[in-house]
């Protein structure tokens, strides 16, 4: 006989955290930078008929006075600024004339080039990167012309037009590598013994020169140390990225940072502004209250439900946006207070050790909120633009000097070193220890590489 089945009722207690729709929207907005949240507002205005801009609303400006010994006052701008207010407008990189346009404009004045030569030149220039270097071979460019435009160009004609491109300004453009670019630039200089020696060094001993083996180079050339120094100075005066002076370089062309904050100082007072171009929002009058719809009952109920839904969505959006602006300003205010000396002087050595927990305790916000509020955000000052994460650094064994402070000391040591006998990483470690900064040699090497400073041998100067 089969055993009878039975039902059992059990009780279980679990903790589970869920985020309300408003919190989810707030968290998502908090992660956005300025341009992204501006796009989000425009999208909401397009999709929700209950949301509209308030053209008559004045800019909301808050001025909060802090302890005069710490932070006299700061300002928060959460909406469009008035016409009389100064507006921080970062310059867009690469906004001027491109390298390609600059080169083609010069070629258009060359009456000796035929229409076919001009088309060939356009293809060649189109394969020059923003730094001025060729990215493909002439043969592959000629094959593209044959396939795409049905134009056959011989190798001799390709080289002839290429030489015309390499004769354009800036000197060094159209080179295949650094050595080629330097030789092109040397050919434009006025003749002199130093230029002649520089050309010989680059043409015949470029590998030795690149490794900065100056004693070996002087012995191979049979010249005095002074002659070699003059030739090396000529080479160092040339531009390794000739096209960058026109196009701004590849990195500048592709990156455009829009600061989220502006910190200004008059010497002893700091002013913080939240930069954005967000319009003032309000609920449209037709959605402000439930208005009876003069239609059949079922249709009226459906219309009223639509009005309530859209109005609730618009209200939630405005609340989330306000929470984002307030949170960002509160977090940045805390960072500015903590790093007050840096914002007054912009000296990296004045940066204090600071972690997310420090700002969390100061603002009362969760660490995850601080992380989202600082990720991908930038602050503009009188001297530059900094990512907010620049101000966060772990303290070193309870010391009062931060990682940027150590790097500032390291840079100072390297700038004051004997250029003929640059300091090795071991020597830099000992010099920092004499300053009371005890870190390992591998940490010195890490900081040096982070600052883009080569090893001691590569910094050697005659």
């Amino acid at each position: 006989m089969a055993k009878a089945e039975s039902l059992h009722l059990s009780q279980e207690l679990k903790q589970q955290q869920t985020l309300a729709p408003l919190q989810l929207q707030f968290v998502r907005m908090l992660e956005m930078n300025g341009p992204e949240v501006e796009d989000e507002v425009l999208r909401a205005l397009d999709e929700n008929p209950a949301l509209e801009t308030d053209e008559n609303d004045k800019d909301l400006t808050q001025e909060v006075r802090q302890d005069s010994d710490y932070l006299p006052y700061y300002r928060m701008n959460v909406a469009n600024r008035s016409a009389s207010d100064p507006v921080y407008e970062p310059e867009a990189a690469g906004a001027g004339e491109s390298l390609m346009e600059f080169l083609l404009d010069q070629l258009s004045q060359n009456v000796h080039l035929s229409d076919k030569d001009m088309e060939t030149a356009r293809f060649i220039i189109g394969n020059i990167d923003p730094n001025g270097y060729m990215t493909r071979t002439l043969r592959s460019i000629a094959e593209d012309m044959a396939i795409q435009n049905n134009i056959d160009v011989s190798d001799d004609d390709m080289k002839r037009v290429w030489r015309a491109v390499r004769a354009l300004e800036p000197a060094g453009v159209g080179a295949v590598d650094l050595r080629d670019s330097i030789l092109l630039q040397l050919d434009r200089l006025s003749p002199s013994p130093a230029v002649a020696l520089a050309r010989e060094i680059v043409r015949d001993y470029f590998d030795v020169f690149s490794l900065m083996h100056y004693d070996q180079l002087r012995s191979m050339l049979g010249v005095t140390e002074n002659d070699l120094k003059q030739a090396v100075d000529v080479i160092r005066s040339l531009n390794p990225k000739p096209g960058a002076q026109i196009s701004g370089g590849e990195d500048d062309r592709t990156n455009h940072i829009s600061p989220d904050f502006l910190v200004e100082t008059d010497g002893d007072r700091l002013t913080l502004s939240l930069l954005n171009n967000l319009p003032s929002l309000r609920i449209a009058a037709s959605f402000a209250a439930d208005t009876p719809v003069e239609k059949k009952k079922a249709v009226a109920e459906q219309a009223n439900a639509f009005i309530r839904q859209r109005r609730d969505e618009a209200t939630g959006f405005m609340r989330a946006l306000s929470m984002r602006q307030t949170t960002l300003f509160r977090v940045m205010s805390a960072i500015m207070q903590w790093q007050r000396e840096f914002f007054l002087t912009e000296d990296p050595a004045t940066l204090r050790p600071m972690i997310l927990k420090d700002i969390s305790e100061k603002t009362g916000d969760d660490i995850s909120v601080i992380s989202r509020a600082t990720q991908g955000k930038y602050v503009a000052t009188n001297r530059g633009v900094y990512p907010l994460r620049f101000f966060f650094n772990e303290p070193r064994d309870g010391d009062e000097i931060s990682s940027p402070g150590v790097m500032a000391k390291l840079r100072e040591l390297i700038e004051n070193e004997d250029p003929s006998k640059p300091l090795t990483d071991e020597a830099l470690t000992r010099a920092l220890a004499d300053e009371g900064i005890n870190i390992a040699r591998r940490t010195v090497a890490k900081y040096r590489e982070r600052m883009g400073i080569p090893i001691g041998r590569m910094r050697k100067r005659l």
Side-chain angles (χ1 to χ4, degrees), residues 127-140:
N127 285 277
I128 294 178
D129 71 15
N131 291 322
Y133 290 94
M134 296 287 293
T135 59
R136 302 176 65 208
T137 65
L138 294 179
R139 186 66 261 160
S140 61

Side-chain angles (χ1 to χ4, degrees), residues 210-214 422-424 454-461:
S210 299
L211 296 174
M212 296 186 181
H213 292 161
Y214 294 130
L423 298 171
T424 63
I455 60 176
R457 176 171 58 81
M458 302 301 291
R459 302 196 304 271
K460 187 176 181 182
R461 300 288 185 272

Side-chain angles (χ1 to χ4, degrees), residues 336-407:
M336 188 173 64
Q337 292 177 23
W338 194 281
Q339 303 292 4
R340 172 177 167 80
E341 288 303 316
F342 172 83
F343 285 107
L344 289 174
T345 64
E346 296 203 41
D347 180 2
T350 62
L351 281 172
R352 299 172 56 198
M354 183 180 77
I355 58 177
L356 294 175
K357 183 180 178 182
D358 296 325
I359 302 302
S360 174
E361 293 175 350
K362 197 170 185 65
T363 62
D365 294 306
D366 189 78
I367 290 181
S368 63
V369 172
I370 306 301
S371 177
R372 289 185 172 93
T374 55
Q375 184 65 38
K377 311 296 192 306
Y378 293 82
V379 57
T381 66
N382 293 337
R383 300 183 186 177
V385 178
Y386 303 90
L388 295 196
R389 288 304 176 97
F390 168 78
F391 303 102
F392 291 89
N393 48 83
E394 293 284 348
R396 301 182 311 102
D397 300 327
D399 202 349
E400 285 300 316
I401 188 168
S402 64
S403 298
V406 175
M407 288 191 282

Side-chain angles (χ1 to χ4, degrees), residues 89-371:
E89 292 289 351
E91 181 180 355
E97 185 178 26
S98 68
L99 177 62
M100 183 175 183
E101 293 170 339
F102 184 70
L103 297 176
L104 289 175
D105 183 59
Q106 295 178 68
L107 277 180
S108 65
Q109 303 174 28
N110 190 335
V111 297
H112 300 292
L113 290 179
S114 64
D115 292 342
K116 183 178 179 180
D117 288 342
M118 281 297 297
E119 188 65 20
T120 302
R122 288 190 184 92
F123 268 83
I124 292 176
I125 292 173
N127 285 277
I128 294 178
D129 71 15
N131 291 322
Y133 290 94
M134 296 287 293
T135 59
R136 302 176 65 208
T137 65
L138 294 179
R139 186 66 261 160
S140 61
I141 296 174
E143 290 174 354
D144 282 352
M145 294 181 64
I147 295 173
Q148 297 178 19
N149 290 38
N150 197 26
I151 300 176
D152 291 326
V153 184
S154 66
D155 290 345
D156 290 340
D157 286 341
M158 288 293 296
K159 292 178 181 178
R160 177 175 53 81
V161 176
W162 183 43
R163 285 193 295 269
V165 171
R166 286 158 62 91
L168 301 174
E169 295 292 339
V173 73
V176 296
D177 54 28
L178 177 60
R179 176 176 173 273
D180 187 27
S181 178
I182 293 176
L183 286 173
L184 286 175
Q185 295 178 63
L186 286 171
D187 290 340
R188 305 281 187 94
L189 299 180
S190 301
S192 70
V195 172
L197 181 57
R199 186 180 292 109
E200 182 180 359
I201 291 172
V202 176
R203 186 185 64 238
D204 301 329
Y205 305 100
F206 189 69
D207 291 341
V208 179
F209 168 77
S210 299
L211 296 174
M212 296 186 181
H213 292 161
Y214 294 130
D215 293 337
Q216 180 183 352
L217 189 60
R218 185 160 55 87
S219 175
M220 298 170 69
L221 291 167
V223 297
T224 65
E225 183 174 342
N226 184 60
D227 290 340
L228 179 60
K229 182 180 184 303
Q230 292 182 18
V232 170
D233 288 344
V234 169
I235 298 173
R236 294 193 181 281
S237 69
L238 305 177
N239 192 340
K241 298 180 180 180
Q245 57 187 302
I246 305 299
S247 67
E250 186 172 1
D251 291 339
D252 291 339
R253 178 189 64 169
T254 55
N255 293 330
H256 180 198
I257 294 174
S258 296
D260 301 89
F261 307 93
L262 173 63
V263 174
E264 300 170 288
T265 178
D266 59 2
D268 61 353
R269 185 175 64 181
L270 294 174
T271 303
L272 171 63
S273 299
L274 182 60
L275 300 176
N276 57 63
N277 292 308
L278 301 180
S280 298
L281 302 177
R282 68 181 181 186
I283 302 297
S286 57
F287 287 79
D290 292 333
T291 303
V293 179
E294 299 298 334
K295 292 184 179 181
K296 293 182 179 180
K297 184 176 180 181
V299 176
E301 290 179 355
Q302 186 177 6
N304 288 330
F306 172 80
I307 290 174
R308 285 194 298 270
Q309 177 187 357
R310 290 303 192 177
R311 184 180 63 239
D312 291 344
E313 290 175 357
T315 302
F317 182 86
M318 290 190 295
R319 287 187 60 191
L321 181 61
S322 177
M323 290 168 60
R324 173 196 184 270
Q325 301 294 85
T326 304
T327 302
L328 284 181
F329 189 77
R330 183 171 60 248
V331 170
M332 186 62 222
S333 298
I335 293 174
M336 188 173 64
Q337 292 177 23
W338 194 281
Q339 303 292 4
R340 172 177 167 80
E341 288 303 316
F342 172 83
F343 285 107
L344 289 174
T345 64
E346 296 203 41
D347 180 2
T350 62
L351 281 172
R352 299 172 56 198
M354 183 180 77
I355 58 177
L356 294 175
K357 183 180 178 182
D358 296 325
I359 302 302
S360 174
E361 293 175 350
K362 197 170 185 65
T363 62
D365 294 306
D366 189 78
I367 290 181
S368 63
V369 172
I370 306 301
S371 177

